[in-house]
Amino acid sequence: METILEINDLHKKYGNLTAVDHISFTIEKGHVYGILGPNGSGKSTTLGMVLSVVNPTSGNYSWFDGTTTTHQALKRIGAIIERPNFYPSMSAVQNLKLVCKIKEIDYSKVEEKLELVDLLSRKHSPFKTYSLGMKQRLAIASALLNDPEILILDEPTNGLDPQGIRQIRDIIQKIAATGTTILLASHLLDEVEKVCSHVIVLRKGQMLYSGPVDEMNNNHGSIVIDAPNRDDLFAFINNQNYAGSIEKLADGFEVILIKDVDNSQINKDAFDQGIHLSTLFHKKQSLEDQFIELTNQL
Amino acid sequence: MKRLIDIEFHKFKYSKSSKVLTIIYLVIVFALMFVGLYEVPFKGAKASLSDLGIFDFPYIWHLSPYILSFLKFLIAIVIVSLTASEYSNRTLKQNLIDGLSKKELVLSKFYLVVALALVVTLLVFLVCLFLGYLYSDITEFNLVFRDVEYVGAFFLSHLTFFAFCLFAGILVKRSAFALGLIGIWCIFELLTFLFTSHIDLRFGYGIWDVLRDILPMSSISNLIVEPFTKVSLVKNGWETLSQSEFEKDYSVRWINVLVCLGWTTLFTFWSYRLLKRRDL
């Protein structure tokens, strides 16, 4: 597996405040990564350090297996941080051409990327006349100009209206589908859940987890179960060795599983005891639940 | 280098303040050029400024750069606003993320500063040549280009001043405050002058004689000594008034050239150091 970014023990202090506390992780090619964490957890600082705009207090990082300098590596990636930063009096095309000059690429992709983010019709208007959604889309177009090996997005839907959020999310999914490696920092969990295969969870500058989304918590989810005779059902389910805590809902019980179990087996066991189930489904724990659980561990 | 100039020129070309101020600068330069044509009634006859001989070679090489060097404050606004707005628009950060190194960033700004100084110098050179040929009877090559060193001093004074503006823009990050800083620095040097010359006069020291060759603004302005007392009318008047011969060294002094080059290097280097150490 090709390594795109390797971070070793990266540390950043602002005076007494520790923004990023000895973080290490690796980004492999072809995955979509999410950096999760509440506001102020060090997401942007971490990204700022690997993008050479923030000086690390200690630790190091290397791009593309250290085969190139950070400055040269940045020409091969695409990144937008926090909010779109462009020259207000330049048009979309003029701004993108400037980025081309910085990245040392030709102008051939300008139109194509503007089309991808649906800005072709406004390409000659000055940047300052754009709505926030359009600005953010232009930023994505700009980050894609060099067909980057990795796309880094920091809070890409921050401050957008629902329609704008949808547009950005669709674009991200389109890009992810092409096999581009993406690193997405966000505090919006459903955003990450929808596109990411791997997550890095930060809290107060410390890394709590790094790995595939499904393995974030070692848990088996829960089942929702119901039968006409609630008392019998409760007695039955409470006796099973896979049942953890049981919560009474309006339409049945939610049972936290402490062990993997097959739904058909539950159904069969219940039937054998004369209980006819009217509802039985397995519920995976949402990323939000997992995240809250994980960040509460400290 | 070509890439960096290209990048910086792209920013310059599409900036509103640069467009507006370039036009204002050119308008003032051309307006000043034709001041000489303006004729005023004088003792029944018509007289114009050109009759004083101020547009003659080689005097024109001294006068025009001196007058036009006051206009460098206009270009300073462009440099400061181009630099400081990179902070306020956060485009500086984006440039770095897009793959420009901090060193390249300062270098590209420095190239812009050099280019602007060169362009205005070329302009003043052409203006002098034009006015000189228009009003002067001298056409002999050696005489025409005597004292052309003032044009070189004009270039250096702009270069050093622009490097100062660049540094101020990077240091303060806001164009209005950066311009304020430049203004305050000028006042500071003026107060230093008043204070030290007072002490010098009272106790017979020579503090200002040393300081004026060290302080940046003073060095910049001393590159081109005022040309007015050179005009025979003014000079004769002064000599009649003071009953003594008036003598002054008008040449471009090497110490000023060296000190200005030193400040230019320092301002550029400091800009780089500042940017390198900062978290954006």
Side-chain angles (χ1 to χ4, degrees):
Chain A
M1 188 69 82
E2 212 176 312
T3 304
I4 287 191
L5 172 66
E6 195 176 347
I7 293 182
N8 275 319
D9 216 21
L10 212 51
H11 191 71
K12 178 68 186 177
K13 282 181 96 165
Y14 290 109
N16 282 330
L17 179 90
T18 304
V20 171
D21 195 358
H22 300 287
I23 284 181
S24 306
F25 62 85
T26 307
I27 303 280
E28 309 278 3
K29 196 182 171 103
H31 295 302
V32 177
Y33 290 83
I35 300 188
L36 273 180
N39 292 329
S41 57
K43 300 187 298 281
S44 297
T45 310
T46 308
L47 292 182
M49 284 192 277
V50 298
L51 294 173
S52 86
V53 290
V54 175
N55 301 316
T57 308
S58 67
N60 59 65
Y61 58 90
S62 68
W63 285 100
F64 305 111
D65 285 321
T67 50
T68 173
T69 61
T70 301
H71 160 222
Q72 288 302 330
L74 290 181
K75 289 179 190 164
R76 288 162 63 183
I77 70 168
I80 50 171
I81 287 247
E82 284 162 352
R83 64 187 174 92
N85 305 319
F86 290 101
Y87 295 87
S89 54
M90 284 189 210
S91 70
V93 173
Q94 287 161 353
N95 267 305
L96 292 189
K97 283 185 175 173
L98 181 65
V99 175
C100 288
K101 284 178 184 182
I102 292 174
K103 287 195 183 289
E104 295 182 274
I105 48 174
D106 57 37
Y107 301 155
S108 56
K109 293 278 164 75
V110 170
E111 299 275 318
E112 178 195 325
K113 302 303 175 191
L114 282 174
E115 193 180 354
L116 177 74
V117 298
D118 198 19
L119 278 177
L120 264 185
S121 58
R122 289 289 302 277
K123 65 177 179 178
H124 292 305
S125 320
F127 175 70
K128 61 186 167 204
T129 64
Y130 284 17
S131 71
L132 184 61
M134 293 167 72
K135 288 178 176 175
Q136 197 60 269
R137 279 184 280 144
L138 180 62
I140 290 179
S142 157
L144 289 173
L145 271 179
N146 54 344
D147 288 325
E149 288 168 63
I150 177 173
L151 180 66
I152 297 178
L153 302 166
D154 187 6
E155 307 280 6
T157 55
N158 223 2
L160 297 184
D161 55 20
Q163 202 188 359
I165 293 176
R166 172 66 67 83
Q167 276 176 323
I168 299 289
R169 200 174 282 159
D170 287 348
I171 294 170
I172 294 174
Q173 270 164 346
K174 226 192 276 183
I175 299 161
T178 64
T180 307
T181 311
I182 299 179
L183 179 58
L184 173 71
S186 182
H187 61 269
L188 299 175
L189 295 147
D190 56 336
E191 196 168 287
V192 172
E193 192 171 27
K194 278 192 179 119
V195 290
C196 297
S197 57
H198 289 66
V199 284
I200 293 140
V201 182
L202 299 182
R203 181 171 168 271
K204 292 182 180 170
Q206 287 176 328
M207 192 172 76
L208 301 181
Y209 174 77
S210 163
V213 178
D214 344 319
E215 291 168 24
M216 195 160 128
N217 273 350
N218 228 349
N219 71 65
H220 310 277
S222 59
I223 51 167
V224 175
I225 192 167
D226 197 17
N229 189 335
R230 290 276 176 89
D231 296 335
D232 286 355
L233 177 65
F234 184 82
F236 160 73
I237 200 78
N238 204 18
N239 268 331
Q240 305 301 316
N241 61 357
Y242 48 77
S245 63
I246 299 171
E247 193 187 346
K248 199 172 174 191
L249 306 174
D251 52 355
F253 299 105
E254 181 169 359
V255 184
I256 304 288
L257 298 176
I258 49 178
K259 200 164 134 173
D260 266 337
V261 62
D262 190 27
N263 275 5
S264 58
Q265 188 62 44
I266 300 173
N267 196 11
K268 189 171 172 294
D269 292 347
F271 187 77
D272 288 347
Q273 299 204 11
I275 300 164
H276 300 256
L277 299 179
S278 58
T279 306
L280 173 64
F281 62 87
H282 185 248
K283 233 170 104 179
K284 257 176 90 173
Q285 202 180 15
S286 76
L287 191 57
E288 185 170 319
D289 292 335
Q290 295 187 50
F291 177 72
I292 300 286
E293 204 171 294
L294 194 60
T295 48
N296 281 342
Q297 280 170 7
L298 280 185
Chain B
M1 182 170 155
K2 202 178 148 235
R3 165 174 166 256
L4 296 181
I5 293 173
D6 193 28
I7 289 170
E8 207 50 43
F9 182 66
H10 189 97
K11 294 178 188 169
F12 181 81
K13 192 166 61 173
Y14 296 116
S15 140
K16 209 172 212 167
S17 64
S18 67
K19 264 183 215 156
V20 172
L21 286 156
T22 309
I23 291 168
I24 295 177
Y25 187 88
L26 289 176
V27 166
I28 296 181
V29 169
F30 285 113
L32 283 175
M33 269 175 76
F34 293 107
V35 162
L37 290 175
Y38 184 72
E39 295 186 330
V40 281
F42 182 73
K43 287 182 184 169
K46 289 214 164 173
S48 74
L49 273 172
S50 58
D51 294 337
L52 285 172
I54 58 170
F55 294 122
D56 288 349
F57 288 125
Y59 184 71
I60 185 77
W61 293 121
H62 192 174
L63 181 77
S64 299
Y66 183 80
I67 303 277
L68 290 183
S69 63
F70 286 100
L71 292 181
K72 60 174 168 273
F73 286 94
L74 281 176
I75 304 169
I77 297 174
V78 177
I79 292 170
V80 168
S81 77
L82 274 179
T83 315
S85 69
E86 298 257 16
Y87 272 104
S88 42
N89 296 329
R90 299 225 220 166
T91 44
L92 186 65
K93 196 173 173 178
Q94 193 61 43
N95 281 177
L96 293 176
I97 292 171
D98 287 338
L100 207 64
S101 71
K102 289 181 173 179
K103 192 172 164 186
E104 283 179 334
L105 216 135
V106 172
L107 264 182
S108 71
K109 292 274 178 232
F110 180 69
Y111 290 151
L112 174 77
V113 158
V114 175
L116 281 176
L118 274 175
V119 168
V120 289
T121 306
L122 185 69
L123 184 73
V124 85
F125 178 80
L126 293 175
V127 164
C128 288
L129 213 56
F130 175 75
L131 288 177
Y133 272 114
L134 195 64
Y135 297 109
S136 178
D137 303 327
I138 304 167
T139 48
E140 198 187 330
F141 186 83
N142 282 345
L143 282 172
V144 165
F145 288 104
R146 219 183 79 192
D147 286 357
V148 80
E149 71 204 51
Y150 290 110
V151 177
F154 180 83
F155 170 73
L156 186 59
S157 78
H158 279 66
L159 182 67
T160 310
F161 186 62
F162 292 166
F164 182 45
C165 296
L166 174 66
F167 174 66
I170 288 181
L171 178 71
V172 186
K173 304 184 202 173
R174 294 274 180 278
S175 35
F177 290 120
L179 287 171
L181 176 79
I182 294 170
I184 288 170
W185 183 259
C186 291
I187 294 169
F188 167 74
E189 285 201 17
L190 190 71
L191 290 177
T192 314
F193 163 68
L194 291 174
F195 183 68
T196 53
S197 53
H198 178 72
I199 290 181
D200 288 351
L201 203 66
R202 206 147 159 200
F203 302 102
Y205 299 151
I207 304 173
W208 179 247
D209 288 342
V210 178
L211 278 183
R212 66 172 195 158
D213 288 337
I214 293 173
L215 294 173
M217 283 303 166
S218 160
S219 301
I220 290 169
S221 66
N222 286 339
L223 271 173
I224 303 176
V225 183
E226 57 79 23
F228 303 117
T229 47
K230 231 179 177 180
V231 185
S232 51
L233 190 76
V234 180
K235 195 180 166 203
N236 293 341
W238 179 271
E239 284 178 348
T240 323
L241 271 176
S242 62
Q243 291 294 316
S244 65
E245 200 162 324
F246 184 83
E247 267 193 57
K248 189 165 176 175
D249 182 10
Y250 292 99
S251 60
V252 180
R253 292 161 64 232
W254 278 109
I255 175 82
N256 281 330
V257 172
L258 289 176
V259 168
C260 281
L261 283 173
W263 278 116
T264 310
T265 316
L266 273 181
F267 285 137
T268 314
F269 178 69
W270 284 341
S271 304
Y272 171 61
R273 279 294 293 275
L274 209 61
L275 198 62
K276 197 176 164 83
R277 289 173 59 176
R278 241 183 216 157
D279 293 326
L280 297 160

